[in-house]
Amino acid sequence: MVWNAILNREIPACWEVDKLLNIVSWESNSQPPKSEFVYEPKEGYIRFIQNRDYDSDNHKTYIPYTKNLSTVDRFDILIDKYGDAGAVRYGIEGAFNVALGKINVNRPNYQEYIRSFLESDGVYSYLHNSCMASTRASLNESNLSMLNVVIPDEETLCAYQLQIRKIRESILLTNDENLQLENLRNWLLPMLMNGQAVVQD
């Protein structure tokens, strides 16, 4: 262990400290007019991700796909700008609305480590509180600019990325299976109640 003057504490000798914004970049999206929203999948449209979608799947929204839209896959990192500012989101693919910001990780094998860093209690509290202290409660790039991150050696980062990604893949697969079972239940239950289907002994 060696003393790090930036953090005022010891860190492993082969680890480094860097500004978060040297490792990631911040990306926002535009907000299409509500008149363009549709609520069923449609050709030429893309899922429009809103904060509430991470709590419930009951309000799926789709917007016309255009090349200037910022999009995410299921493993990209999103973060709430309003409301529960600082909350980290992932797991839905599509375009995101103005209440969310995208964290682009610029270095290979850093994504899961940075996601875990942003999800930590201390970082969440800092981002949430610094946002709430501003005149307009909105998280932005300037809130991230004050954060320093401890960077492990490359071997540790690669191992962490591999193991945590497997866990997150398993979580998403379980969520998908639960959703399929929920949809099956919602389809089957009314049929059982009105006698269209029966359970055999």
Side-chain angles (χ1 to χ4, degrees), residues 34-163:
K34 197 169 184 179
S35 59
E36 294 184 355
F37 292 8
V38 298
Y39 302 98
E40 296 289 339
K42 184 177 177 180
E43 186 176 351
Y45 280 65
I46 188 172
R47 176 82 182 266
F48 188 50
I49 307 167
Q50 303 174 74
N51 307 58
R52 65 186 182 184
D53 294 338
Y54 292 96
D55 298 319
S56 168
D57 219 24
N58 296 332
H59 305 284
K60 285 186 177 179
T61 304
Y62 302 85
I63 58 172
Y65 176 77
T66 60
K67 291 182 179 179
N68 64 338
L69 278 175
S70 293
T71 60
V72 291
D73 64 32
R74 297 184 81 186
F75 292 101
D76 282 330
I77 303 170
L78 289 174
I79 194 165
D80 282 22
K81 294 165 61 177
Y82 314 120
D84 192 12
V88 175
R89 312 291 190 177
Y90 75 100
I92 305 176
E93 189 172 67
F96 54 97
N97 77 347
V98 293
L100 293 159
K102 181 181 179 182
I103 305 294
N104 293 304
V105 182
N106 304 329
R107 301 183 189 177
N109 298 320
Y110 278 48
Q111 189 178 50
E112 294 303 338
Y113 181 74
I114 294 300
R115 191 196 316 273
S116 297
F117 172 76
L118 292 169
E119 286 177 333
S120 67
D121 291 342
V123 172
Y124 165 77
S125 295
Y126 163 74
L127 291 175
H128 188 80
N129 293 335
S130 65
C131 169
M132 293 300 111
S134 64
T135 54
R136 183 171 182 266
S138 172
L139 191 70
N140 56 53
E141 194 172 23
S142 66
N143 301 104
L144 302 178
S145 67
M146 300 301 293
L147 290 172
N148 294 304
V149 57
V150 179
I151 306 297
D153 60 274
E154 197 67 26
E155 183 180 354
T156 301
L157 279 168
C158 289
Y160 188 87
Q161 174 74 18
L162 182 64
Q163 292 301 317

Side-chain angles (χ1 to χ4, degrees), residues 8-41:
N8 287 320
R9 63 183 175 88
E10 291 186 335
I11 63 172
C14 56
W15 292 20
E16 301 175 353
V17 175
D18 203 350
K19 290 284 188 184
L20 178 65
L21 287 181
N22 289 336
I23 302 166
V24 308
S25 59
W26 172 268
E27 185 177 346
S28 293
N29 217 352
S30 57
Q31 184 79 5
K34 197 169 184 179
S35 59
E36 294 184 355
F37 292 8
V38 298
Y39 302 98
E40 296 289 339

